[in-house]
Amino acid sequence: MTSLPMIPVDPDAAAARRASLPPRHLADLDLAGRQALLAEIGEPAFRARQISTHYFGRLVRDPALMTDLPAAARERLTGTLLPRLLTPVRELACDDGATRKALWRLHDGSLVESVLMGYQDRVTVCISSQAGCGMACPFCATGQAGLTRNLSTAEIVDQAVYLAGVAASGVVAGSPARLSHVVFMGMGEPLANYSRVVAAIRRLTAPAPEGLGLSQRHITVSTVGLVPAIRRLASEDLSVTLALSLHAPDDELRDELVPVNQRWKVAEVLDAAWDYAARTGRRVSIEYAMIRDVNDQPWRADLLGRLLAGRLAHVNLIPLNPTPGSRWDASPKPVEREFVRRLRAAGVSTTVRDTRGREIDGACGQLAAAEGEKDEATA
C-alpha cells in the first residue's frame, strides 16, 4: 500500500484563513442552530425566534426597534445573531426609481453588487454569490476581474433581505411592496459556490421566522454550465428555475465566449439542462447575450433553434451592456429582431430582456470595478 506524503500545515496561514471568514449570522443557521448559539452565551432559546422574526418577518435589523427584547441584552443578542455583513458603499437609482443598484463592502474589503428591479406585478432582486468570478467570460466585467472569494450563506441572503426592506419601504413607486423574485445572476458563478447557494435558497424559501418565505418557483439560479453541479442540483428536490448562460450554439465560438465550454461542450451542457427540466418539470431559461458580429448571425439563430426545438426551454436574449473600453458591443436592433424571428419560426419561445440600469453601471461588475479603481487610486 502506497502512503501519501504528509503536507505540513502552516498554522499562521490557517489562522489567517479563519480570520478572513465573515462573522457567523443567523442566516447561516437554521432555527435550531440559532437557538443553540444563544444557549452558548446563556440566553434563552426563544430569543432566537424573536430576533429571526424581526429579521426575516419584519425586515428589521436595528436593535433599537426590537422592543420585545430586554434593553440590557439587546446589543448582545443582536451582536451574536445579527453582525453587520454588508456595508453600503454606493446606492444608485434610475428608471424613475424602479431600478436600484447597491454596491457593498464586505468585512474583508471585498466588493459585491445587487440590484432591485420593480415592475407593475412583482419586485425582483438580483444577488451575487461570489466576490468576483473565476469563469473568465471575456465580455463580462466581473469575469475580467477574476475571483476574490465565495460568499457565505448569510452574505448571500442578507442582500435579498436588505433589498426586500427597500421594497417594503414603498420607495419603488408602481410596484408591490413585497419582494417576490430572486435571481442568482449577480457577481459570480452560483454553482461554483454550490453548498452555500443551495443553503441560501433554502433560507430564502423557508417560511418566517426560519427564512424569508419566498416561493421556490420564483428563484432562478444562473450557471455557465458546470455539468456535475447541474446534475447535483436536479437531485436537490428544489423547484427553482435553471438559467443556462449559453451565449453561442456552437463549440468553436462558445469555447471563446464561455471558457468552461472547453471542459463541458454544448451538447453535454444541454443534456444536463434537459435532465434538470425532466426531473423538476421546470422550463430551462437559455440566456444569450447578443454581441455585435460575434454570435448574432442568422445561421447561429437557426442552429440554436434546432438545438432547442421541442425542448422545455425559453430563450432570453440579452442586449449586451458593454463595459468601458471593451471591444464587445450590443447587436443592432434589426439584427436582434431577425434573431428573434428565426427562433420563433423554429417553435422556440423567445423574449428580449428588459434593459435596466444602463446609466448606473448596470452590467454585472461595472460598479465594483469602478470602485476598485478608485480605491487603488487613493491607496
Side-chain angles (χ1 to χ4, degrees):
M1 175 175 158
T2 303
S3 61
L4 295 174
M6 296 295 292
I7 300 175
V9 175
D10 181 347
D12 293 334
R17 283 194 297 272
R18 287 193 297 272
S20 71
L21 295 173
R24 186 166 48 179
H25 185 281
L26 69 82
D28 289 311
L29 306 166
D30 60 16
L31 191 55
R34 299 166 205 167
Q35 293 169 338
L37 185 57
L38 288 189
E40 290 177 9
I41 63 169
E43 293 291 344
F46 72 86
R47 298 291 184 205
R49 180 175 289 273
Q50 288 178 301
I51 298 170
S52 299
T53 298
H54 282 296
Y55 179 74
F56 281 121
R58 302 188 182 113
L59 308 175
V60 168
R61 62 186 71 210
D62 181 355
L65 300 177
M66 301 181 186
T67 55
D68 56 345
L69 301 178
R74 203 172 292 161
E75 293 290 344
R76 182 166 179 251
L77 287 164
T78 56
T80 300
L81 285 181
L82 290 177
R84 170 170 283 196
L85 299 178
L86 309 175
T87 299
V89 177
R90 297 177 68 190
E91 294 187 40
L92 304 175
C94 66
D95 302 319
D96 295 324
T99 303
R100 295 170 177 270
K101 187 164 191 176
L103 176 67
W104 314 102
R105 194 178 301 278
L106 308 181
H107 80 287
D108 59 356
S110 301
L111 296 168
V112 296
E113 302 172 1
S114 23
V115 183
L116 180 151
M117 294 163 285
Y119 302 91
Q120 187 174 4
D121 61 341
R122 69 191 187 280
V123 173
T124 298
V125 297
C126 176
I127 59 177
S128 296
S129 55
Q130 296 179 312
C133 182
M135 297 297 105
C137 299
F139 57 90
C140 171
T142 308
Q144 294 166 28
L147 176 65
T148 301
R149 68 170 175 87
N150 287 331
L151 300 191
S152 69
T153 297
E155 287 173 323
I156 297 168
V157 171
D158 204 33
Q159 298 169 64
V161 173
Y162 180 93
L163 293 175
V166 172
S169 73
V171 299
V172 187
S175 297
R178 176 172 168 77
L179 171 67
S180 56
H181 292 67
V182 172
V183 296
F184 284 79
M185 293 182 175
M187 297 174 70
E189 161 57 48
L191 295 189
N193 189 15
Y194 186 91
S195 60
R196 295 179 184 90
V197 164
V198 169
I201 292 169
R202 297 196 188 282
R203 204 73 71 236
L204 291 170
T205 57
E210 185 82 29
L212 198 54
L214 301 180
S215 167
Q216 289 187 10
R217 299 173 71 85
H218 290 172
I219 306 287
T220 298
V221 178
S222 176
T223 180
V224 294
L226 305 188
V227 168
I230 294 172
R231 295 194 180 282
R232 185 179 173 191
L233 186 65
S235 67
E236 291 282 356
D237 194 28
L238 293 170
S239 56
V240 300
T241 296
L242 178 72
L244 174 60
S245 296
L246 194 65
H247 304 313
D250 56 301
D251 287 322
E252 181 179 6
L253 178 59
R254 195 167 192 266
D255 281 351
E256 177 186 358
L257 296 182
V258 187
V260 77
N261 197 74
Q262 297 167 35
R263 172 63 181 84
W264 295 290
K265 298 300 186 182
V266 170
E268 191 174 359
V269 171
L270 288 177
D271 186 61
W274 306 148
D275 180 60
Y276 183 88
R279 296 185 66 170
T280 64
R282 302 290 290 151
R283 185 174 68 171
V284 175
S285 179
I286 303 295
E287 309 291 302
Y288 197 103
M290 294 291 290
I291 308 174
R292 180 193 293 262
D293 299 328
V294 174
N295 66 348
D296 58 0
Q297 299 86 355
W299 72 264
R300 283 197 162 97
D302 293 339
L303 175 56
L304 184 62
R306 291 195 296 272
L307 291 174
L308 305 185
R311 298 292 187 173
L312 192 60
H314 172 88
V315 174
N316 187 18
L317 294 181
I318 307 165
L320 186 72
N321 191 351
T323 58
S326 172
R327 66 186 177 93
W328 313 94
D329 200 1
S331 301
K333 285 300 177 183
V335 172
E336 179 187 281
R337 286 192 290 269
E338 177 63 12
F339 208 92
V340 171
R341 188 194 70 78
R342 286 173 178 265
L343 286 174
R344 289 176 176 168
V348 178
S349 172
T350 305
T351 54
V352 178
R353 179 183 291 178
D354 182 24
T355 54
R356 291 288 195 100
R358 287 184 179 271
E359 61 267 50
I360 56 170
D361 292 329
C364 179
Q366 285 186 341
L367 199 56
E371 188 67 23
E373 290 171 3
K374 187 171 73 174
D375 287 349
E376 290 178 6
T378 57

